[in-house]
Amino acid sequence: MPVITAPHAFNEGQLYVDLRPTFGRSLFLKCEGFNFAGSIKLKAAIEMVEAAERDGLLTEDSVLVESSSGNLGVALSMIAASKGYRFLCVTDSRCNLSTRLLMEALGSEVQVIADLDANGGFLGARIDYVRALCASDDRYVWLSQYTNPGNWGAHYRKTAPEIAQQFPRLDVLFVGAGTTGTLMGCARYFREWHRPVRIVAVDTVGSVAFGGEPGRRMIPGLGMSMRPPLLDESYVDEVIRVEEADTIRACHRLARRGFLFGGSTGTVVSGAMKWLAEHDERDLTAVAIAPDLGERYLDTIYQSTWLEDLYGDEVLKSLQASKGPRGAERLAGAPDRGQEP
């Protein structure tokens, strides 16, 4: 049995869920939420902190600071607590309350930004705040997940090889796009692999990561209000954009089978099922990456008042319909042709 002395020493990387019984299509979901930080962001957090230590950027007086919508903030809070650093997370109002409370419980400070940037998002305002903070006091050390090569390097060295080990005949990989660290790390690894793997990026409608018009996005995790500096589209074969209403439907559909996942996972699964419905998937080996679990979303995507206020009655009605006997029958069989998962 594993015995650890630091929380970041444990990270279960080889758990997959077969989604065929739930969605009627063959897709293996790589679960990245089984560590003490609760998400895939632990990998990037460790990589970036330890690189800063090797480079001599961190001292006992240093204060780590990072802009995060939630999961990276939790991972850095946990690592900072373990290593004895102070940490300030700069987030915005979309960050789940439970996530903010978790960071504070770990001893971190949380600064919530309310100002919007030029694209109608919060990211630009968060980054401006971090830059001003670092300029005012040299004790602040900004890891900058948006530009730090350790972000994608962690997934090149860990996440992608874990998938390759379990699926040596992998054909297509679905990866959610936020900072694009996971996407770029996995894409670079499989570009060098012994067989071609189709890399499908899954983004949320309203994100401008791959271009397009900015729009409202209320579910944290995926999507960007600017082009990700780490993104190199030459490594990406396709991009699928998912409406947040479809993200919510996918999350609730999984929950009806006992699998409680976060919003990023719902987006990736919805996009993957859309892609598989348009391709002959009988002989394909397909894997999607689930960044986190769903407990931190209980007061948002799993809360009816929040859903009704933001998305109206139609989303609630579709979720209610899935609870009945006919809905249960749909979950066990092939997906409806007229409705996305």
Side-chain angles (χ1 to χ4, degrees), residues 67-70 91-100 112-114 116-117 120-124 126 146 204-207 215-225 244 296-297 299-300 306 310-311:
S67 161
S68 170
S69 62
T91 188
D92 59 66
S93 57
R94 295 175 306 162
C95 180
N96 299 324
L97 175 61
S98 59
T99 300
R100 299 203 301 266
V112 179
I113 301 299
L116 296 175
D117 60 27
F122 294 98
L123 180 56
R126 284 175 10 202
Y146 311 105
T204 182
V205 171
S207 164
R216 186 189 75 164
R217 294 179 293 113
M218 299 307 299
I219 301 174
L222 299 186
M224 293 274 280
S225 58
E244 287 193 333
R296 296 173 194 169
Y297 302 81
D299 57 350
T300 54
W306 188 86
L310 292 176
Y311 303 100

Side-chain angles (χ1 to χ4, degrees), residues 99-133:
T99 300
R100 299 203 301 266
L101 294 175
L102 179 53
M103 287 189 280
E104 291 172 349
L106 289 167
S108 298
E109 182 182 350
V110 180
Q111 177 67 48
V112 179
I113 301 299
D115 297 329
L116 296 175
D117 60 27
N119 285 325
F122 294 98
L123 180 56
R126 284 175 10 202
I127 290 176
D128 287 344
Y129 184 91
V130 172
R131 284 176 173 154
L133 201 64

Side-chain angles (χ1 to χ4, degrees), residues 21-33:
T22 302
F23 290 93
R25 300 192 186 282
S26 180
L27 179 67
F28 296 97
L29 189 63
K30 187 179 193 301
C31 301
E32 290 282 350

